[in-house]
Amino acid sequence: MLLMFSIVVHAQQDVTQFLGIPIDGNKKEMVRKLKEKGYQNDPMSEALVGEFNGTNVNVFVVTNNNKVCRIMVADANNVDERAIQIRFNKLCEQFKNNSKYLSLEENQTISEDEDISYEMTVHKKRYEAIFYQKTDTIAVAKMLMSALSPKYTTEQLANPTEELQSEMVKLSIEYLMKRPVWFMISDFQGKYYITMYYDNEYNRANGEDL
């Protein structure tokens, strides 16, 4: 039980961040921190308004069991099909070139000849890209040690077999996937905008309330 407690505590400290703010804690405190970054209340909705990555946006704080689990960032202005394709692809390149992120896919951009309007309307296609915030190697090493030390000796961990190496890779990927940042194209009355999601998967619902 003490081992499991240490894993959970450590994991909760190493969560997805938005503008350097850990996505955790209660909504009131998160809103306060976002206001310190310059965001302001929207009198017409629950959103905070401001600028993010050079674009005017609406920011929403999402909770589960009174804990912040997601920051949703939606473009404030809608654009045409060509403009949204350029914006989507530019975001893909920005994330790909940002050393704070990793992707499990080589290319997530939209091809030049893609008919976005047709695909979304007729085939209900969803255009999205997902990246993962990196964590430091020390945090990963601690996680692996905590998870594997009950099953393996120190000598086995120091000289892992292929099977153990595969298990380490699997655990590392699962750990990484707890810190997703993803975005998608949304549409409204024939125009398009980007919606981005910064998720803390530790606080997301897993059916525990069912």
Side-chain angles (χ1 to χ4, degrees), residues 86-103:
I86 293 172
R87 172 147 168 67
F88 184 94
N89 287 347
K90 184 177 180 180
L91 277 173
C92 286
E93 292 300 318
Q94 288 177 333
F95 274 100
K96 184 178 180 180
N97 295 328
N98 191 320
S99 60
K100 296 187 297 184
Y101 291 90
L102 285 174
S103 173

Side-chain angles (χ1 to χ4, degrees), residues 38-95:
Y39 293 95
Q40 299 177 349
N41 287 324
D42 178 3
M44 303 299 292
S45 70
E46 294 186 3
L48 295 171
V49 297
E51 184 178 298
F52 179 68
N53 194 37
T55 302
N56 291 328
V57 297
N58 299 314
V59 179
F60 299 86
V61 179
V62 183
T63 61
N64 175 51
N65 286 330
N66 298 315
K67 290 184 178 180
V68 178
C69 62
R70 164 178 285 176
I71 297 294
M72 185 177 79
V73 185
D75 291 353
N77 301 309
N78 303 335
V79 297
D80 61 28
E81 183 175 357
R82 177 58 179 159
I84 203 65
Q85 181 192 46
I86 293 172
R87 172 147 168 67
F88 184 94
N89 287 347
K90 184 177 180 180
L91 277 173
C92 286
E93 292 300 318
Q94 288 177 333
F95 274 100

Side-chain angles (χ1 to χ4, degrees), residues 25 36 69 109 138 186:
E36 289 178 353
C69 62
T109 58
I138 295 177
S186 302

Side-chain angles (χ1 to χ4, degrees), residues 19-172:
L19 294 175
I21 306 170
I23 299 173
D24 206 353
N26 62 63
K27 184 174 182 177
K28 183 178 179 180
E29 183 67 13
M30 175 60 73
V31 169
R32 182 188 67 78
K33 291 177 180 178
L34 290 172
K35 287 183 176 179
E36 289 178 353
K37 296 288 185 178
Y39 293 95
Q40 299 177 349
N41 287 324
D42 178 3
M44 303 299 292
S45 70
E46 294 186 3
L48 295 171
V49 297
E51 184 178 298
F52 179 68
N53 194 37
T55 302
N56 291 328
V57 297
N58 299 314
V59 179
F60 299 86
V61 179
V62 183
T63 61
N64 175 51
N65 286 330
N66 298 315
K67 290 184 178 180
V68 178
C69 62
R70 164 178 285 176
I71 297 294
M72 185 177 79
V73 185
D75 291 353
N77 301 309
N78 303 335
V79 297
D80 61 28
E81 183 175 357
R82 177 58 179 159
I84 203 65
Q85 181 192 46
I86 293 172
R87 172 147 168 67
F88 184 94
N89 287 347
K90 184 177 180 180
L91 277 173
C92 286
E93 292 300 318
Q94 288 177 333
F95 274 100
K96 184 178 180 180
N97 295 328
N98 191 320
S99 60
K100 296 187 297 184
Y101 291 90
L102 285 174
S103 173
L104 301 181
E105 298 184 40
E106 182 63 28
N107 181 27
Q108 302 186 70
T109 58
I110 303 171
S111 63
E112 292 288 328
D113 59 351
E114 184 83 0
D115 190 335
I116 295 173
S117 176
Y118 177 82
E119 293 295 336
M120 290 184 68
T121 304
V122 177
H123 295 149
K124 307 301 180 185
K125 185 172 181 178
R126 198 160 118 158
Y127 293 94
E128 62 183 31
I130 184 166
F131 296 83
Y132 300 94
Q133 285 187 356
K134 292 180 183 177
T135 184
D136 62 86
T137 54
I138 295 177
V140 175
K142 286 181 177 179
M143 178 277 298
L144 289 174
M145 183 62 67
S146 295
L148 297 174
S149 57
K151 298 168 57 178
Y152 300 95
T153 66
T154 303
E155 184 178 349
Q156 287 174 319
L157 292 173
N159 301 281
T161 61
E162 288 188 10
E163 182 179 354
L164 178 52
Q165 288 179 25
S166 296
E167 188 172 355
M168 287 178 169
V169 169
K170 181 181 178 182
L171 285 171
S172 298

